[in-house]
């Protein structure tokens, strides 16, 4: 059986400012670094074999802290970067509602139907992410794999591995440094944990 540990990056500077990040290369806050350390401590006894991460700094630095804690190899890739939000990147909610109200409301209500110039669709995001994830699975039979990435990318990976439609994207929330686990069993992929942050209770 393959066990996949899906981990969202720690708090970034733009998370604090409530700005759309997308593929902009923002950095972790001091809290974000501490969150990553707590995740590493949680995973020490999980027998992780290898860690794959987005190459964007907020995810890579989260993964590096975890890698140092559990002493496991780390591989980065642009294939599991966050969704490309194009002209939205760097804007906060108020600015989005001012400049892109209709599109932003679509993103919140029916994100799978957003089709906007310069913004990656959820279907394209899923195709990009799942191609990489499926290769990882083929290369790591019977191993425990950690994936450190971003909110949108991790949600489409979850839906992709579970064979669910992208319309369910809006029904999932993933917090900073949350842990979700999917077991790839003989006959089905099974979600055994979703958006768990119990390891962060001491620093909330």
């Amino acid at each position: 059986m393959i066990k996949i540990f899906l981990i969202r990056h720690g708090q970034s500077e733009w998370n604090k400012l409530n700005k759309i990040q997308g593929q902009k290369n923002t950095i972790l806050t001091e809290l974000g670094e501490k969150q990553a350390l707590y995740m590493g401590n949680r995973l020490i006894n999980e027998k992780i074999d290898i860690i794959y991460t987005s190459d964007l700094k907020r995810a890579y630095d989260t993964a590096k802290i975890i890698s140092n804690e559990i002493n496991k190899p780390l591989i980065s890739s642009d294939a599991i970067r966050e969704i490309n939000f194009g002209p939205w990147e760097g804007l906060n909610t108020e600015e989005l509602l001012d400049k892109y109200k209709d599109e932003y409301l679509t993103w919140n209500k029916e994100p799978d139907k957003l089709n906007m110039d310069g913004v990656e669709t959820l279907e394209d995001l899923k195709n990009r992410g799942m191609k990489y994830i499926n290769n990882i699975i083929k290369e790591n039979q019977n191993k425990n794999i950690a994936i450190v990435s971003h909110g949108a990318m991790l949600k489409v990976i979850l839906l992709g591995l579970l064979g669910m439609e992208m319309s369910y994207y809006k029904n999932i929330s993933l917090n900073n440094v949350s842990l979700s686990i999917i077991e790839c069993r003989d006959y089905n992929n099974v979600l055994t944990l979703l958006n768990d942050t119990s390891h962060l209770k001491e620093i909330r």
Side-chain angles (χ1 to χ4, degrees):
M1 182 179 72
I2 297 172
K3 201 170 182 179
I4 300 177
F5 296 75
L6 299 171
I7 301 161
R8 190 181 169 203
H9 63 78
Q11 184 195 65
S12 71
E13 293 288 355
W14 280 16
N15 286 145
K16 275 183 70 175
L17 296 172
N18 198 29
K19 289 185 176 183
I20 296 287
Q21 296 178 103
Q23 297 192 354
K24 286 287 190 291
N25 216 4
T26 58
I27 61 172
L28 293 179
T29 62
E30 185 176 337
L31 175 59
E33 293 176 353
K34 193 171 184 180
Q35 290 172 332
L37 183 64
Y38 274 63
M39 174 62 84
N41 289 333
R42 174 175 184 168
L43 294 176
I44 284 174
N45 296 318
E46 291 289 355
K47 299 180 180 178
I48 302 292
D49 294 293
I50 191 166
I51 305 168
Y52 291 87
T53 180
S54 158
D55 64 342
L56 293 177
K57 190 166 178 57
R58 60 190 183 275
Y60 182 85
D61 287 352
T62 300
K64 183 63 176 173
I65 292 169
I66 294 169
S67 174
N68 289 341
E69 285 299 299
I70 67 175
N71 194 29
K72 295 299 177 182
L74 176 63
I75 297 173
S76 67
S77 174
D78 60 2
I80 48 174
R81 283 183 174 185
E82 181 60 300
I83 187 171
N84 183 355
F85 274 120
W88 287 8
E89 295 181 5
L91 302 182
N92 60 32
T93 303
E94 185 177 321
E95 291 168 325
L96 285 169
L97 286 171
D98 181 50
K99 298 178 180 179
Y100 301 99
K101 183 176 181 179
D102 290 344
E103 293 87 348
Y104 187 59
L105 291 176
T106 297
W107 172 253
N108 282 288
K109 293 178 179 179
E110 297 178 295
D112 56 306
K113 294 183 178 178
L114 181 66
N115 193 348
M116 177 181 163
D117 285 345
V119 176
E120 196 170 14
T121 66
L122 286 186
E123 194 64 30
D124 286 343
L125 182 67
K126 183 191 79 168
N127 291 338
R128 169 162 66 88
M130 287 308 300
K131 181 179 179 181
Y132 188 71
I133 296 300
N134 287 332
N135 285 334
I136 286 173
I137 290 171
K138 288 177 185 176
E139 294 170 3
N140 294 280
Q141 291 297 304
N142 299 313
K143 291 185 179 180
N144 291 340
I145 307 162
I147 309 288
V148 181
S149 188
H150 312 265
M153 175 57 81
L154 290 173
K155 286 200 278 186
V156 299
I157 289 172
L158 274 165
L159 293 172
L161 287 171
L162 296 174
M164 297 174 67
E165 297 294 328
M166 286 300 107
S167 59
Y168 290 103
Y169 177 96
K170 65 183 180 295
N171 303 111
I172 301 174
S173 179
L174 297 177
N175 296 330
N176 286 121
V177 197
S178 61
L179 176 63
S180 302
I181 299 174
I182 292 180
E183 294 180 358
C184 302
R185 301 178 182 175
D186 287 341
Y187 298 103
N188 290 292
N189 294 339
V190 178
L191 179 67
T192 60
L193 189 70
L194 179 65
N195 193 36
D196 185 62
T197 56
S198 58
H199 47 284
L200 301 179
K201 59 188 176 184
E202 293 178 18
I203 55 173
R204 282 177 183 153

